[in-house]
Each structure stands twice: as C-alpha cells, then as structure tokens.
Amino acid sequence: MAANTEPIREAEKEPLNFIEEIIEEDLRSGRHTTIRTRFPPEPNGYLHIGHAKSICLNFGLARKYGGKCNLRYDDTNPTSEEQEYVDSILADIRWLGFEPDEILYASDYFDQLYEWAKVLIKKGLAYVDFSTPEEIAAQKGSPTVPGTPNKYRDTSPEENLALFERMKNGEFPDGHCVLRAKIDLASPNMHLRDPYMYRIKHAYHHRTGNKWCIYPMYDWAHGQCDSIERITHSICTLEFASHRPLYDWFIEQLGIFPSKQYEFARLNLTYTVMSKRKLLQLVQEGYVKGWDDPRMPTLSGLRRRGYTPESIREFAHRVGVAKRENIIDVSLLEFCIREDLNKRALRRFAVLRPLKLILTNYPEDRVEWLETENNPEDPSAGYRTVPFSRELYIEQEDFMENPPPKYFRLYPGGMVRLKSAYIVVCTGVERDAQGKITAVLCRYIPESRSGSDTSGLKVKGTIHWLSASHARIAEVRLYDRLFQVEDPASEEDFKKAINPNSLEIIPQALVEPALLNTKPGEHFQFMRLGYFCTDPDSTPEKPVFNRTVTLKDTWAKEAKKQHN
Ligand code: ATP
Ligand code: MG
C-alpha cells in the first residue's frame, strides 16, 4: 500500500509541535539517526476519534521524518480482548490512510517478559507476594504516608524464582499471589511502591491460547515492548507521565534499549464520551445500534455517518499536540467535514417532507430535462439533467400561507425560483375536506428558465424541488448529538445525559433518480439540507441516507455562483 507516502497535508511550513521539536533535536544531535514510533491499542473495543489523534501523530511523525511506525496490539489482558476488535483496529488505521510498518502483539513478547522478570528476581528486585489485594493496598500507604514492607519482601531470590515458576505452572488459583517489583515503598511516586508485575489469570488468550496463566501488568509490559521494538519516541497520553519513572527504572535495571516516553494531552470532544468502557456500555445496553452507529465517536461510526479520512486527519492536525488537558468543540470536527465535502460531494435534489406543487399553466404530458451542475466547487464534476414536469414536490417548510416578514420562500402571491428551473408565482392552494393544504398552486414564467432567463424578474428566494412522477422513495436518517451536555463523562451517570432525540428517521423522503443505486459510503450534498452519505442498509428498492452534517450558510453563496 502506498498510503504512507501520501502527503498528509499541503502546508509543511507550520510551527513544530513540541514532539517534533524533540525529534528534530534528536536527529540533529545524532542521538538517533532515524525514528521509530508505535500505536499501541488494547484490542478491547473499536477505535475512536481520540485514537485517531494518536494514530495521526505517531504515523504522521514516522512519515514526516522518514521513520517507521508499528501497530502493536497491547493484548496483555485476555478477558476483555477479542479478534473482532483486532480486525476492526487494523481496518480503521488503513481507512485513515496509514499502513503499519509492522503489525505486532505484546503477547509475542510474553516469553521475553517472563525471562526478564526472572532477571529482576535474581537481582533481588522482584518478589512473589501472597498478601490479599486489600493488605497490599493498605501496606502501600498514601502519598503522604510511606508504605510498610511485609514479610514476603524479604524472601530470597532462589525461593522467589521457584515460586514464580510455580505461578507460571498453574499451581495457584487466580489471585492467589502476584509478582511485584521491589523498588521503594516510601517513594513519593506511588507507582514506584513495589508495583505489580504479574497476576494469575487462568484465562484463554486470543493468541497464546492456554499457554499462560500469568499475565503481565500493563506497566510491566509496556516499556519493555517499546524497548524490544527499539521505539525511539514512545508517545502516550498525559495520565502516563507519572508512570514514566517506573518504565525508566525497569529499562535501567534490565540494561535494555532505552525508549523515551513523551506525553501529550488526550483528545476530548464535547457532547460525547471517549472511554471504551462507556462506549461498550452504550453498545451493550442498546443505547446505540452498535459500535458503528453513526452517532458514536468511533471511527467506524464516523465513517458510516459520512466522515472522510481526510476530514479526520485535518481535524487531528488542527487540534494540535497539547501538553495540557482540554476539551475540543465538536463544531471543529463538523467544520472539517463540511470543508472537505464541499469540495467533493455531488449536489443532488432530495425532499425530506414533501408538499405537492402544481404548475397550472404547464402542459400535463410534458417533461423537460434541465441541466444542473454536479458541484459548483469542482467544474470537472460536470452537469446532469433533472426531470421537470407539471406536478412537483417541494419541502413543506418552503411554503407558508401566512408568512412572517422577510420570508423569501413561497406564499400566496409570492414568487420564488425553482433551482435550475423556472420562476413560479403562487396563485393559491388546494385543501382536503379537513381544510389541510394538499397542494400549492403556481404559475410558471416560461421566459425565466435558468440559463436563458429573459423575464427580467428578480426573486429573493430559490428552493429545491423534485418532479413528482420521477421522485423515488428513500429513507433518510437525521442525527443529532448523542448527549445533551457538553461533558457527559463528568456527570454522575453519563447515560442520564443521553439525548432522546439523537436520531430521527424519515421513512418516506423523496430523492432524484440519480440517487438510486449509489454505493454505501458515497457522499452527496442534498441541496439546502446538508451532506449525506449512502448507508450500508440501502437496498436497490430503497436507498438509505445518513445525514453527515448540516450545511451552514453555504446555500446563499452557492445559489449566487450558479446564477440560479
Ligand atoms: P480508553 O480510555 O478509551 O480505554 P485507552 O487509552 O485505554 O483508551 P488504548 O487502546 O490503550 O485505549 O489506546 C491506544 C493508544 O491511543 C494509546 O497510546 C493512548 O494513549 C491513545 N489514546 C487513547 N485515547 C486517546 C485520546 N482520547 N486522545 C489521544 N490519544 C488517545
Ligand atoms: Mg490503554
């Protein structure tokens, strides 16, 4: 795959972020001749937009400096990890436009980690502890009170080696004992107060099967995995800053390649949650339809919603690499997708809530095929023709019987341009027995045809429409934010903040014929309604479209450009 050679972004001459500064200095000083980064997801859920930030950073740095970036699955916890997640993670990385130099697994290093644990035991730097978790917690003290050693801390290396082997051989039940590093029970850094290295878990692992019943703790595995892969710049999020002294300690005691860790602020986004545990709850408890529900902040959800890899990379770039926690407004993400789709999405006509419009002076059996631009932002997208006839549909909200001032759409006596067609004048309405309006009656002005308008009339409003006999039914899904508050994760129960109206399904919207047989993932701008993409639920009989994002003020500009 040539994906890694593609430029991520045009603008190269931008100020460096703090990690780039470090890398450039390391390359300049000769500390490193090339760089190696990695993206280390735990395969216990689908990737989300926060992970995308980390992917763009790690793969982007390798690309920028001609280095390498590995994908390393951090699969040290057998009970929450699944092949489905492993597969989706790689697919999402590729979709974002990156290809790992190597695809690796922390579980590939279980043997090496086991050997290194024995090295530490032999050096008197690790011991098997049979205390209960509660006892260990109590003995750890608090940030202001030093911990107290227990008797297991004094076990001899020979005895510890034997016990550790028995742990590995499955002689003890789950939780019976742990292997701990012997560092400093009085350290002001709690991570150095004899942290766990191994726990017993008689559990099947998705790659190592039943080979192991002891599994390394993340803190024991992570730095050593980086070292084995000779990662030069191990980039992670801020919460691991306090773990760094522990990682450095392990590396120093083992005398292995010193990967250096650098921390940046994780990405937080308004009106959503980003923890995989919370996202899993939304899926399992049926608040959404799955990991790829278009309301989810997962990459699969965003993709189904209609986000493009380009828009997400641009978003990650604009967010930058911060050193302090912050929360990014989701409107920045929406801005990025609008910008991207404005350039590439084909314009199409659709009517979400149809109202019949009858042109009383237009011949009954006539059909005109009118030319209209596919994308005014991209002349190479060309033109298509749309059918026009006596009976049309317009949007219900584009007609008002008693309009307020400055209503530039249709009303009795008012005049409006039908996009790429004619100017029409509203002459009245038709009603049913209950008095409800069933059709708007208009006269069209034959000389006002778009492109050859000799009417001299000036109208303020332009609306979209469909020819009634040519329109096709489609299901349209409109999405709103999944949460009603900016920071649901800070609520006592984040699920209470769910927006009950985050999905509106319009089962019988109408679309132009060109929207039949589109492929899932194709992007369109439904004129005046927003950007949409075809959903995988589509069938040839009934297409389904997701609204990616609404338009913002683009209609007025666009209408001008196209001279109606
Ligand atoms: P979660 O809290 O959702 O479970 P995690 O950090 O445990 O996230 P991992 O699978 O371990 O998930 O993450 C893989 C990589 O992605 C890590 O390097 C992590 O730092 C990074 N990452 C995760 N969430 C974010 C985020 N919101 N912003 C930036 N990077 C992130
Ligand atoms: Mg993690």
Side-chain angles (χ1 to χ4, degrees):
M1 216 179 266
N4 284 358
T5 55
E6 224 175 80
I8 303 178
R9 208 160 180 274
E10 296 297 311
E12 291 281 344
K13 294 272 169 268
E14 287 182 18
L16 300 180
N17 64 49
F18 80 95
I19 295 178
E20 290 170 331
E21 278 175 7
I22 291 167
I23 290 176
E24 296 207 353
E25 180 51 33
D26 286 347
L27 292 172
R28 202 169 22 237
S29 71
R31 180 160 183 225
H32 298 294
T33 49
T34 179
I35 66 156
R36 213 176 248 270
T37 56
R38 84 288 174 267
F39 173 65
E42 184 179 352
N44 62 350
Y46 280 63
L47 296 183
H48 52 59
I49 180 89
H51 293 117
K53 169 73 229 175
S54 176
I55 293 169
C56 291
L57 180 58
N58 280 294
F59 284 92
L61 288 170
R63 187 178 288 182
K64 179 167 178 184
Y65 295 105
K68 294 203 156 132
C69 181
N70 294 340
L71 163 61
R72 180 174 71 242
Y73 293 102
D74 241 311
D75 56 349
T76 51
N77 183 4
T79 44
S80 55
E81 295 159 5
E82 286 173 30
Q83 189 62 37
E84 177 194 351
Y85 300 140
V86 169
D87 296 339
S88 75
I89 286 171
L90 181 58
D92 283 347
I93 292 172
R94 289 183 167 153
W95 176 74
L96 259 188
F98 300 102
E99 182 63 28
D101 284 288
E102 289 188 76
I103 298 170
L104 302 163
Y105 294 81
S107 56
D108 294 340
Y109 311 134
F110 281 175
D111 286 296
Q112 176 68 78
L113 289 168
Y114 180 72
E115 291 306 316
W116 277 338
K118 290 201 295 194
V119 169
L120 293 187
I121 293 174
K122 284 182 202 155
K123 289 176 86 173
L125 295 173
Y127 61 101
V128 177
D129 194 332
F130 290 87
S131 312
T132 64
E134 294 73 28
E135 284 165 348
I136 291 178
Q139 290 160 3
K140 268 202 176 177
S142 72
T144 49
V145 180
T148 43
N150 63 30
K151 61 177 180 187
Y152 304 109
R153 213 171 187 260
D154 297 324
T155 313
S156 70
E158 295 70 36
E159 212 175 322
N160 275 318
L161 269 184
L163 288 170
F164 186 48
E165 181 152 0
R166 291 178 62 196
M167 274 175 75
K168 184 197 88 162
N169 290 343
E171 291 185 32
F172 305 121
D174 283 10
H176 191 65
C177 53
V178 292
L179 184 74
R180 294 174 73 181
K182 188 169 166 182
I183 310 180
D184 179 5
L185 282 173
S187 172
N189 182 336
M190 297 298 283
H191 298 293
L192 294 177
R193 294 193 185 182
D194 291 10
Y196 289 18
M197 290 170 63
Y198 276 95
R199 63 230 191 279
I200 300 174
K201 243 185 204 183
H202 291 267
Y204 179 86
H205 185 278
H206 75 115
R207 281 177 66 83
T208 57
N210 290 317
K211 176 172 176 191
W212 297 92
C213 65
I214 55 169
Y215 288 97
M217 303 301 293
Y218 178 85
D219 274 352
W220 163 239
H222 196 75
Q224 279 56 257
C225 293
D226 281 343
S227 177
I228 292 170
E229 293 173 18
R230 301 186 90 77
I231 301 303
T232 54
H233 299 80
S234 166
I235 299 162
C236 66
T237 43
L238 285 179
E239 68 273 23
F240 291 101
S242 60
H243 300 234
R244 187 177 355 108
L246 173 59
Y247 300 164
D248 290 346
W249 186 87
F250 281 136
I251 281 179
E252 204 184 311
Q253 299 309 321
L254 295 168
I256 56 178
F257 178 82
S259 297
K260 279 265 168 282
Q261 173 174 296
Y262 301 94
E263 304 91 12
F264 74 104
R266 64 171 45 234
L267 170 70
N268 300 300
L269 202 57
T270 54
Y271 298 102
T272 192
V273 292
M274 214 81 97
S275 122
K276 280 185 276 186
R277 195 177 47 81
K278 291 196 171 77
L279 295 174
L280 181 64
Q281 277 182 61
L282 294 176
V283 172
Q284 285 182 336
E285 294 169 29
Y287 290 100
V288 294
K289 299 202 173 82
W291 284 99
D292 70 343
D293 187 298
R295 292 164 291 181
M296 291 280 271
T298 51
L299 293 182
S300 49
L302 290 165
R303 173 166 63 235
R304 188 163 181 180
R305 174 83 167 249
Y307 276 81
T308 59
E310 291 82 354
S311 67
I312 293 175
R313 293 200 303 254
E314 175 66 18
F315 171 72
H317 182 86
R318 282 174 183 260
V319 164
V321 184
K323 278 193 198 175
R324 215 172 285 157
E325 282 292 338
N326 56 5
I327 179 160
I328 303 291
D329 198 316
V330 66
S331 60
L332 179 63
L333 184 60
E334 292 170 350
F335 170 84
C336 292
I337 188 62
R338 272 192 201 104
E339 272 220 322
D340 189 31
L341 291 181
N342 185 40
K343 285 180 270 165
R344 67 165 85 204
L346 298 178
R347 275 49 172 174
R348 294 288 181 257
F349 287 174
V351 173
L352 300 187
R353 297 175 182 86
L355 171 63
K356 181 74 72 74
L357 183 149
I358 300 170
L359 300 174
T360 49
N361 61 336
Y362 196 90
E364 294 233 3
D365 48 4
R366 186 153 136 204
V367 176
E368 277 181 274
W369 288 84
L370 302 173
E371 197 165 73
T372 187
E373 271 176 303
N374 279 326
N375 184 355
E377 299 290 323
D378 175 13
S380 74
Y383 291 79
R384 74 187 184 291
T385 55
V386 285
F388 184 83
S389 62
R390 176 184 165 92
E391 293 206 358
L392 308 171
Y393 282 113
I394 61 168
E395 217 57 74
Q396 284 170 18
E397 61 176 33
D398 284 338
F399 174 81
M400 279 184 93
E401 209 174 2
N402 300 298
K406 300 216 168 144
Y407 183 81
F408 296 129
R409 290 168 276 171
L410 212 47
Y411 52 91
M415 204 159 53
V416 82
R417 171 167 296 278
L418 299 178
K419 170 78 189 153
S420 296
Y422 296 92
I423 294 173
V424 297
V425 185
C426 178
T427 54
V429 295
E430 269 177 9
R431 296 172 193 278
D432 63 13
Q434 282 74 44
K436 188 172 168 273
I437 295 173
T438 52
V440 175
L441 303 177
C442 288
R443 295 179 60 78
Y444 87 112
I445 315 283
E447 314 79 65
S448 67
R449 188 170 149 160
S450 291
S452 55
D453 183 355
T454 56
S455 70
L457 294 169
K458 288 264 171 293
V459 290
K460 288 221 166 103
T462 300
I463 64 173
H464 60 281
W465 52 273
L466 288 169
S467 165
S469 62
H470 298 86
R472 296 288 175 267
I473 291 176
E475 179 175 314
V476 170
R477 299 174 183 170
L478 305 178
Y479 300 98
D480 198 352
R481 291 169 178 167
L482 188 52
F483 291 93
Q484 288 170 313
V485 299
E486 275 201 3
D487 186 12
S490 69
E491 300 286 302
E492 202 172 307
D493 178 0
F494 77 103
K495 285 179 281 182
K496 289 221 176 85
I498 288 178
N499 174 6
N501 303 313
S502 60
L503 168 61
E504 182 189 357
I505 295 180
I506 301 179
Q508 306 256 1
L510 296 174
V511 298
E512 67 171 275
L515 284 169
L516 288 183
N517 298 315
T518 60
K519 284 196 281 307
E522 273 189 70
H523 304 281
F524 303 98
Q525 185 195 98
F526 289 0
M527 304 211 75
R528 299 177 66 221
L529 299 172
Y531 292 103
F532 291 74
C533 82
T534 311
D535 189 84
D537 286 346
S538 293
T539 62
E541 294 72 43
K542 189 170 189 184
V544 179
F545 296 100
N546 296 317
R547 179 152 72 189
T548 310
V549 67
T550 54
L551 299 176
K552 236 192 205 165
D553 305 330
T554 51
W555 170 256
K557 266 192 265 148
E558 201 155 279
K560 235 189 231 159
K561 256 191 220 155
Q562 293 187 46
H563 320 292
N564 298 321

